[in-house]
Amino acid sequence: MKKILLATSALVAFAGAAAAEVTVSGSARMGLVYDGNDTEFSSRIRVVFKMAGETDGGLAFGASVRADQAGVANSGGTAMSAGTVFISGAFGKLTFGDNDSAANVLVGHVSGVGFTGLGDYNELGYLGNTDTSALYEYSTGALSFALSAGQTTATVVTPTGVIDEQAVAVAAKYSTDTFSVALGYEQFGDDEQVTLGGSATFSGATVKAVVADRDSWADTHYALSVDYAIDATTITAFYTDQGPIDTYGIGAAYDLGGGASVLGGIVDDGFDTIAEVGLTFSF
């Protein structure tokens, strides 16, 4: 992604200080969306600011926020629900703010279709964190580890009542150029979730699978996707089993070059068939 350098300023408090910089990147999309009943126009623009610096001792630090969420990030405090702030070094990386859980970060999701995601039915869901949350990540060779914790004084209203508990998660991942496997564990109140994911790439195809078992679910949830690349075109299909609802999707993406792509997809969400086609741009 191309990035425009907004500012590069020397830290002049002492001689030999490292430089700090602020960059901006963006994305946009436009197209047609069919919701099962009507076809409508859809478009969106997002701008992201990233700040980075380094201490004399070699510690990296920085922050990131979307332009439309700058006000929320500015208020921040103990309920920062947008943007992140981090510091990293040989010890790993520590991030505060609006984080995904450790399990979500390392296990993730199977591939989806469409230029908006068509409801993101490829995602099984994680217990998540409550803001302001903390995420710690460390990698060595092919192994990656992550720990996360939600706000220490979180109080969340759920369908089963009010939870006054801290969300915690731990995850590990082993990845190579051709395959990966990851395992995550989350706990939030009396609810627990174990998620296992893996991927493998061969002959132009990438297969991903995720299995999630949550105490509050009646059934174990599954997701599977296949991406097949042919030159600039990638064809994607996915299937999810979320208890009583099965979801299917198929789509394609064509890379136009220069940060522009054409994407389209069709999804059966268990109730309706929805579809879309459009363009995405990265800046």
Side-chain angles (χ1 to χ4, degrees):
M1 180 182 293
K2 294 181 180 178
K3 298 187 177 180
I4 304 170
L5 185 61
L6 289 183
T8 302
S9 58
L11 302 178
V12 296
F14 39 83
E21 66 177 27
V22 178
T23 60
V24 62
S25 61
S27 63
R29 68 191 192 198
M30 57 186 289
L32 299 173
V33 176
Y34 174 68
D35 64 4
N37 295 300
D38 302 301
T39 300
E40 299 179 309
F41 301 122
S42 176
S43 59
R44 188 182 73 181
I45 302 171
R46 281 183 171 174
V47 178
V48 178
F49 294 96
K50 292 185 178 180
M51 294 148 273
E54 187 174 307
T55 69
D56 281 355
L59 292 176
F61 58 89
S64 177
V65 66
R66 283 195 348 228
D68 60 305
Q69 297 179 329
V72 177
N74 181 61
S75 299
T78 59
M80 187 175 177
S81 59
T84 56
V85 183
F86 77 87
I87 186 167
S88 65
F91 63 88
K93 182 179 181 181
L94 179 63
T95 306
F96 276 28
D98 182 24
N99 294 300
D100 288 328
S101 73
N104 195 350
V105 169
L106 292 190
V107 182
H109 305 282
V110 302
S111 298
V113 299
F115 74 98
T116 72
L118 279 171
D120 298 325
Y121 290 104
N122 58 300
E123 301 180 5
L124 296 183
Y126 289 88
L127 284 176
N129 287 334
T130 50
D131 306 312
T132 300
S133 64
L135 171 67
Y136 170 73
E137 301 167 89
Y138 181 80
S139 296
T140 175
L143 287 172
S144 298
F145 304 93
L147 297 169
S148 64
Q151 185 54 266
T152 59
T153 56
T155 301
V156 179
V157 179
T158 72
T160 58
V162 177
I163 295 178
D164 188 14
E165 294 282 351
Q166 184 179 28
V168 294
V170 60
K173 183 176 184 178
Y174 181 85
S175 59
T176 70
D177 292 337
T178 57
F179 76 92
S180 69
V181 61
L183 179 66
Y185 169 79
E186 300 171 285
Q187 183 179 37
F188 189 24
D190 294 330
D191 213 359
E192 298 180 353
Q193 178 172 328
V194 176
T195 310
L196 175 67
S199 68
T201 301
F202 49 89
S203 302
T206 299
V207 179
K208 300 176 184 177
V210 175
V211 180
D213 185 29
R214 184 182 299 183
D215 287 352
S216 59
W217 288 342
D219 303 295
T220 300
H221 294 186
Y222 305 87
L224 177 71
S225 71
V226 178
D227 298 285
Y228 186 71
I230 309 172
D231 297 325
T233 302
T234 301
I235 300 171
T236 299
F238 78 86
Y239 165 76
T240 60
D241 179 349
Q242 302 188 56
I245 300 176
D246 293 343
T247 305
Y248 308 84
I250 187 168
Y254 181 77
D255 187 354
L256 297 171
S261 297
V262 181
L263 295 92
I266 302 173
V267 169
D268 181 341
D269 65 7
F271 302 97
D272 295 299
T273 297
I274 56 179
E276 64 184 23
V277 61
L279 295 162
T280 62
F281 312 101
S282 58
F283 308 95

